[in-house]
Amino acid sequence: MKLNSKIAYSAASLLLAGSTVSAQSLNDAKKAIDAEQYQKAKSMLKNLTNTQATNADNFFYLGWVYALQDYSDSAKAVFNKGIAANPKSALNYAGLGAVARLEKDRAAMTTNFNQATTLAGKDSKPFVYVGKAYLLPVAGATAVPAADANAAIAVLSKGLAVNSKDADVDIALGDAYRSQLKSNEAYKYYSDALTLNGNSAVANVSVGVLWKYANNFEDAEKQFQKALSVDPNFGPAYREWAETDLRWAQTDPKMASAKIKEAADNYRKYLSLTDLSVESRMRYADFLLLSGDYKTLQTEAAALSSSANSNLRIYRYLGYSAYENGDYQAGLTAMNNWLSKADPKRVIPRDYLYLGRLQLKTGADSLGIQSLRKAYSLDSTNADVFAEIAKNYYGKKQYAQAGQAYESYINNTKGAKLQDYLNEGLSYYYAYDDKTHKPADTVYLAKADSAFSHIEKVATTPIAAVALYRAYVNDTKDADRQNIKGLAKPFYEKYIQIVTTKGVTDADKKNLANAYAYLGTFAQYKEKDMAKATENFNKAYEYDPTNRQAKAFLKK
């Protein structure tokens, strides 16, 4: 379900609630982080790192904001400053471990996490942030790997043993279980957090998210409303409410129109309660991508890409959305921009998928195929690229390459359909040129026949086209009419039986004529049965008076 492009917000109309820094305590900065008021939090924390330069915690929370916003280099620099301020700062080692995980440096991650938990002592917060770090989204991943979720649960359980009264530990444990779709366990820990602190907006929203995924939309809304009753300015409640509305719209068509409008309104409220920073608008872009509203996403991404301090990731979104909207040249420019400027560690297989598609659409076929193959080499779940490559080859009548690509698709995916086997068979059949073929090219006929044969074996009802093409393949093998072996005979007979049973249409007549003409030829040269030959050629002529074989035989 796509959002109406008219919902795109006007920045001038939104209230910059909470955008000024009125309090300078670390607790207020942490509240701003929870509320996703990242710009406000950074301003406060930068001030604290200057006025309280010996407090390593100030550096950690500033670095954590950078990590959340996908600025790994800035995060690492700030965490190192925190360690310089206090070499025994467990939190900053947790931060360095988080950056290492985002950069896919598992050895550095483990070393820093171990150092964090060793230095933690009786402080549960380092355990909380090591656990949270395991759950951070890594570029290219669609979910938290089970191993990371289990590692998060293990370290958070240690944190719970250190301090069973820290609601943040329970919330993080709930998040870890929720990432693995273990709703009962997640609910247990969110409930424990609410028992410790019933006014936790974060915990109330987290329970609402559980109800959202259970499609219990009414109770989800109640939890978001409860969070807002605790803190009317808690933006994430509106964001999750918006995403719940979107899911509701996709699940219940009757509610779609109203819920899409409500989703847009709630997301506008979320934005108004953040700081309308580039990062907040990036989160809006994330939402648009999730919702499939590519039209609005392209407009928003284009606006963000003109900002000097914009996250480079916006070029990825601009490339994706431009492709989906058919604006291929703009999409290609954006993807080239992203891939040439982004840290290679931030590039994901899907980027090459869209790059390849855009290159194909703009005529750079060889580059496009190369990019699609790279997407597959980086992530074997992208086997669909072979179908796209095959379609491109087939459209250009490069049938041998098309057949090979369809074969690769079938061999590398569990989702192959009978149509894919048909496409493979047709490609290989047309790849065999009976005017210029070499002996080795007969492998194409064998592959074509194998593909058609597979369809016959698994199809629930006989398919006329498959029988016909099996006949064509075997007819090609049996080209010497004077010494005809009858390889195609059973397939032509099957074709005739399927078509005449269902009822002959005008589109069937030429093919039927060819089938009867073959049977007439077989009767004439192999069976030496002229009566039978005459009968078949008469039927061929009846269906298609222009059939050359029938006309030639009957003329004699």
Side-chain angles (χ1 to χ4, degrees):
M1 183 64 64
K2 294 186 177 182
L3 297 177
N4 191 306
S5 61
K6 294 180 181 179
I7 70 168
Y9 68 90
S10 169
S13 69
L14 295 175
L15 299 174
L16 296 176
S19 62
T20 59
V21 179
S22 58
Q24 296 295 314
S25 75
L26 183 55
N27 279 338
D28 286 325
K30 288 159 69 175
K31 287 179 182 177
I33 294 172
D34 285 343
E36 298 179 16
Q37 296 173 345
Y38 296 136
Q39 213 52 28
K40 176 180 176 180
K42 281 195 294 190
S43 296
M44 296 169 71
L45 289 163
K46 285 177 182 178
N47 182 59
L48 288 169
T49 58
N50 288 326
T51 59
Q52 301 174 16
T54 59
N55 186 343
D57 287 5
N58 294 329
F59 291 97
F60 166 73
Y61 286 101
L62 177 58
W64 187 252
V65 175
Y66 280 125
L68 292 175
Q69 294 181 323
D70 197 23
Y71 294 114
S72 293
D73 290 343
S74 297
K76 186 187 295 185
V78 176
F79 292 140
N80 280 320
K81 287 181 182 179
I83 291 170
N86 178 8
K88 294 185 177 181
S89 172
L91 279 174
N92 281 289
Y93 279 108
L96 287 177
V99 171
R101 180 175 174 274
L102 293 174
E103 294 181 342
K104 301 178 182 179
D105 184 348
R106 304 294 289 191
M109 177 196 77
T110 301
T111 298
N112 284 296
F113 284 166
N114 287 342
Q115 184 74 338
T117 55
T118 298
L119 293 170
K122 297 297 182 182
D123 182 2
S124 56
K125 285 297 185 274
F127 294 95
V128 169
Y129 283 93
V130 170
K132 285 187 171 189
Y134 273 118
L135 304 177
L136 288 174
V138 176
T142 56
V144 177
D148 282 353
N150 290 336
I153 291 166
V155 75
L156 289 165
S157 297
K158 292 178 181 178
L160 200 61
V162 167
N163 182 3
S164 61
K165 302 297 184 183
D166 186 347
D168 288 344
V169 179
D170 288 306
I171 292 171
L173 273 165
D175 292 344
Y177 280 112
R178 190 179 78 199
S179 76
Q180 302 305 293
L181 306 180
K182 295 180 179 179
S183 299
N184 291 336
E185 294 88 341
Y187 183 77
K188 185 262 184 197
Y189 284 105
Y190 290 146
S191 298
D192 288 350
L194 287 170
T195 299
L196 291 168
N197 180 9
N199 288 329
S200 169
V202 175
N204 275 297
V205 168
S206 298
V207 173
V209 172
L210 282 183
W211 291 135
K212 173 185 76 173
Y213 286 122
N215 288 351
N216 184 348
F217 304 121
E218 292 88 351
D219 282 341
E221 285 188 344
K222 289 175 184 176
Q223 290 296 144
F224 303 140
Q225 290 165 348
K226 188 171 182 180
L228 290 167
S229 71
V230 172
D231 180 359
N233 295 321
F234 193 68
Y238 283 112
R239 174 172 52 75
E240 293 296 346
W241 196 345
E243 293 183 5
T244 299
D245 286 329
L246 183 65
R247 187 180 177 96
W248 197 340
Q250 293 168 333
T251 304
D252 185 353
K254 293 179 182 178
M255 299 292 289
S257 179
K259 288 302 169 183
I260 287 173
K261 181 180 183 302
E262 188 173 279
D265 291 342
N266 281 326
Y267 214 98
R268 285 165 59 92
K269 290 173 185 174
Y270 163 69
L271 285 171
S272 74
L273 291 169
T274 63
D275 36 44
L276 266 187
S277 62
V278 167
E279 287 75 22
S280 296
R281 293 173 68 189
M282 284 292 294
R283 185 68 184 89
Y284 179 50
D286 292 339
F287 174 76
L288 294 171
L289 182 65
L290 175 71
S291 69
D293 183 5
Y294 293 108
K295 187 172 183 180
T296 308
L297 176 59
Q298 186 176 359
T299 301
E300 180 66 10
L304 277 169
S305 66
S306 65
S307 174
N309 63 337
S310 189
N311 190 314
L312 280 173
R313 191 173 81 249
I314 202 62
Y315 288 111
R316 170 189 287 156
Y317 291 171
L318 184 56
Y320 290 9
S321 58
Y323 171 80
E324 298 292 348
N325 293 326
D327 192 357
Y328 302 125
Q329 191 56 57
L332 182 60
T333 300
M335 288 308 298
N336 283 331
N337 222 334
W338 163 248
L339 290 166
S340 64
K341 294 179 180 178
D343 186 321
K345 289 178 288 191
R346 299 179 68 195
V347 176
I348 60 176
R350 194 180 183 194
D351 295 337
Y352 288 104
L353 191 64
Y354 272 96
L355 175 66
R357 289 169 175 169
L358 288 160
Q359 288 167 327
L360 290 179
K361 289 293 187 181
T362 52
D365 290 2
S366 60
L367 288 176
I369 289 169
Q370 183 179 331
S371 296
L372 290 175
R373 289 186 184 279
K374 185 163 186 176
Y376 175 75
S377 71
L378 294 172
D379 181 0
S380 61
T381 64
N382 285 323
D384 286 359
V385 300
F386 291 113
E388 297 183 51
I389 291 170
K391 185 177 180 181
N392 180 266
Y393 278 134
Y394 194 93
K396 291 180 167 48
K397 299 184 178 181
Q398 294 174 283
Y399 297 120
Q401 295 95 322
Q404 290 160 3
Y406 278 123
E407 186 177 359
S408 293
Y409 173 66
I410 290 167
N411 290 338
N412 290 287
T413 183
K414 295 179 180 178
K417 298 179 174 60
L418 293 184
Q419 182 65 48
D420 300 311
Y421 284 93
L422 181 62
N423 292 338
E424 179 195 2
L426 291 173
S427 298
Y428 278 129
Y429 172 69
Y430 290 127
Y432 184 84
D433 185 340
D434 62 0
K435 294 177 182 177
T436 62
H437 69 263
K438 303 169 187 175
D441 291 344
T442 56
V443 71
Y444 295 148
L445 291 179
K447 285 178 176 287
D449 202 34
S450 176
F452 297 138
S453 175
H454 173 82
I455 298 173
E456 281 191 331
K457 288 175 184 175
V458 301
T460 54
T461 56
I463 301 172
V466 174
L468 182 63
Y469 274 97
R470 286 208 76 185
Y472 286 168
V473 168
N474 286 280
D475 198 350
T476 304
K477 294 178 185 176
D478 202 12
D480 184 356
R481 291 309 195 229
Q482 300 298 324
N483 295 295
I484 193 168
K485 298 182 182 70
L487 301 178
K489 183 174 181 288
F491 303 110
Y492 277 126
E493 288 173 338
K494 187 170 185 179
Y495 172 74
I496 291 169
Q497 188 233 334
I498 294 170
V499 172
T500 54
T501 298
K502 74 173 179 63
V504 178
T505 66
D506 288 342
D508 298 321
K509 290 180 178 179
K510 280 188 178 294
N511 292 328
L512 274 172
N514 289 332
Y516 279 115
Y518 176 91
L519 295 178
T521 301
F522 183 79
Q524 179 183 6
Y525 290 107
K526 184 70 173 178
E527 298 177 318
K528 310 296 183 183
D529 185 339
M530 296 304 290
K532 192 173 181 181
T534 303
E535 179 186 355
N536 281 303
F537 279 122
N538 274 327
K539 287 182 179 178
Y541 186 81
E542 178 186 341
Y543 282 117
D544 180 13
T546 66
N547 185 279
R548 288 186 300 170
Q549 288 176 275
K551 286 170 66 177
F553 178 87
L554 295 173
K555 186 176 182 181
K556 290 180 183 178

